[in-house]
Amino acid sequence: MKTVITNIHKLVNVRTETKLLRANDLKELPIIENAYVIIGDGIILDYGEMNSTINIQHATSNIIDANGATILPCWCDSHTHLVFAATREDEFVDKINGLSYAEIAAKGGGILNSAKKVNDATEDELFDSAWKRLNELMHLGTGAIEIKSGYGLTVESELKMLRVIKRLKGKSPIIIKSTFLGAHAFPQEYKTDHQAYIQLIIEKMLPVIAKEKLADYIDVFCEDGFFSAQETEMICNAGKLYGLKPKIHANQLNLSHGVQTGVKLGALSVDHLETMDDDAILSLSSSNTIGTLLPTAAYFLRMNYPPARKLIENNCTIAIASDYNPGSSPSGNMNTVVSMSCIQMKMLPEEAINAATINGAFAMEVEEECGSITVGKKANLIFTKPIPSLAYLPYSFGNNLIDKVMIDGEFI
Ligand code: NIG
Ligand code: FE
C-alpha cells in the first residue's frame, strides 16, 4: 500500500543525483516548498509541489497530513562507539579537576577503563544497552549509523563487541555499518611490545572477523601515545587484504600524520581532525577521502574545533558525526552535532545538514539508500515541529524540534 504525505512546509535535500559534496556544492541544499512525498514498500516513489495536481490520485492509500512540518532525510551518523559497558562520568570530574585526556589515559583510565568493563560484561548485557541507545538515537532522527569495536582489546572481547554489532544489524530497522577498531589502544601488557599486539590483531582477530563477516571497515587510533603512522599502515594493509576499507582516527590530539596515512591507504574517511596543518589539509584536499568532523568530542574535551571553513575552502569533502562514546562524546544526538557545527565551526546550516546527511551517507557507503530525498532511497524521514525557517534548526540549539521520525515508511 502506498502512503502519501501531504502539506509539507519544506521538503529538504531533494536530489535526483547522488554525489559527494565539496566546496561550494556543500552549501547547495535543494528544497521544495509546500510539497508532497509518495512512499511504497518503505521507499520514496515520488515527490513534488502540492499545487502540481499530484500523482496522488494514483495512490489509493494512506494519506498523512504533515500539517506544515518540515521534512528532512534522517541523519547519517558515520562515526560512533555505541557499544560500551559503562559510562565514565568519574573521569569527566577528573578533567574538571585539571587532568588532561592523555593523563587520564596514562593512568589506566580512558579507553583501557572501558575495555575492563567490556571484558566483564556479557554479550547480552552489551547488546541490551546498545539496543536501548540505538532506539534513543532513532527517535532523535538518526536513520543510518556506523558502530565501532575497540573497547575489547583482547581477541575474545573484540569479537564479542563485533558480534553484538552484528546482532544489532540483524534486529535494527536502520542500516548499521560495523568497524573493527582493535587498534584503539595498547593493552597494559603490550605497552612495551607493540609488535606483539599488532600480531595479535593481524593473526588472531582479523581471520575470525573475515570468516564470520563481522566488520565492514577497519579503524586505527593514529595518535602520539597510541598507534604510529607506520603501525597504522601495517594494520590497515592487513585489514585491506580481508576486504576491510580503512576509516581511521586521525589528527585528534597531535599532528599524527594520520591524515596523510589515511589518504595514502585510500581510506574512506579520516576522522576528528582537530589538529591540522597545511600539509594535512593539502593531502586531504587532493583525495577522495572524507574528513569526518566530530564537534561534540572537541566540545567535551575542551579542544580546538576542526578547521571546517578552511577544509571547505580547500576543496576537502567533509562529513559530521557524533563520535558517541563514554569517554569523549557521551551523546549521539546529531541535532546537537549540526548545531555545534554551525555555532563553533561556522558551517552554514545548509552545509551542516548536507554534511550530516548525504556526505555522512557516503562516509559509510550507504549513499544509494540514505542521505537525501531521492526516488528509490529509503523513506527515512524527520518530521519537525513547526519551525519558521531551516536556520532555526541549528539556531535553536538544545531544543528538541523533532516531532516524529519515519523509518522505512513507518513512524517509530
Ligand atoms: O573517538 N579518540 C579515540 N577514541 C574515542 C574516544 C575513546 C574514549 O575515550 O573512550 C574518540 O574520541
Ligand atoms: Fe571515535
Side-chain angles (χ1 to χ4, degrees), residues 341-361:
S341 298
C342 297
I343 298 166
Q344 295 290 354
M345 303 199 295
K346 295 191 173 167
M347 291 176 72
L348 294 167
E350 293 81 1
E351 291 174 326
I353 291 170
N354 275 326
T357 54
I358 187 66
N359 279 11

Side-chain angles (χ1 to χ4, degrees), residues 4 13 20 75 234 261 279 328:
V4 185
N13 214 351
L20 185 57
W75 309 126
M234 189 186 302
T261 305
D279 190 58
S328 64

Side-chain angles (χ1 to χ4, degrees), residues 304-318:
N304 288 331
Y305 289 84
R309 285 260 57 93
K310 211 165 169 195
L311 294 171
I312 295 168
E313 278 158 24
N314 281 280
N315 210 39
C316 301
T317 59
I318 61 169

Side-chain angles (χ1 to χ4, degrees), residues 15 28 31 40 57 72 86 114 137 169 178 231 240 317 342 347 355 369 397:
R15 296 179 181 275
E28 296 305 325
I31 292 174
Q57 59 263 35
L72 301 97
S114 280
L137 296 188
K169 279 190 184 193
S178 171
E231 290 165 344
K240 280 168 78 172
T317 59
C342 297
M347 291 176 72
E369 292 107 330
F397 79 93

Side-chain angles (χ1 to χ4, degrees), residues 79-81 148 151 181 184 219 249 252 271-272 294 323-325 328:
H79 180 137
T80 83
H81 308 248
K148 301 171 194 298
Y151 290 132
L181 177 57
H184 198 185
D219 192 348
H249 280 76
Q252 181 186 12
D271 303 22
H272 272 290
L294 312 166
D323 197 16
Y324 193 3
N325 77 77
S328 64

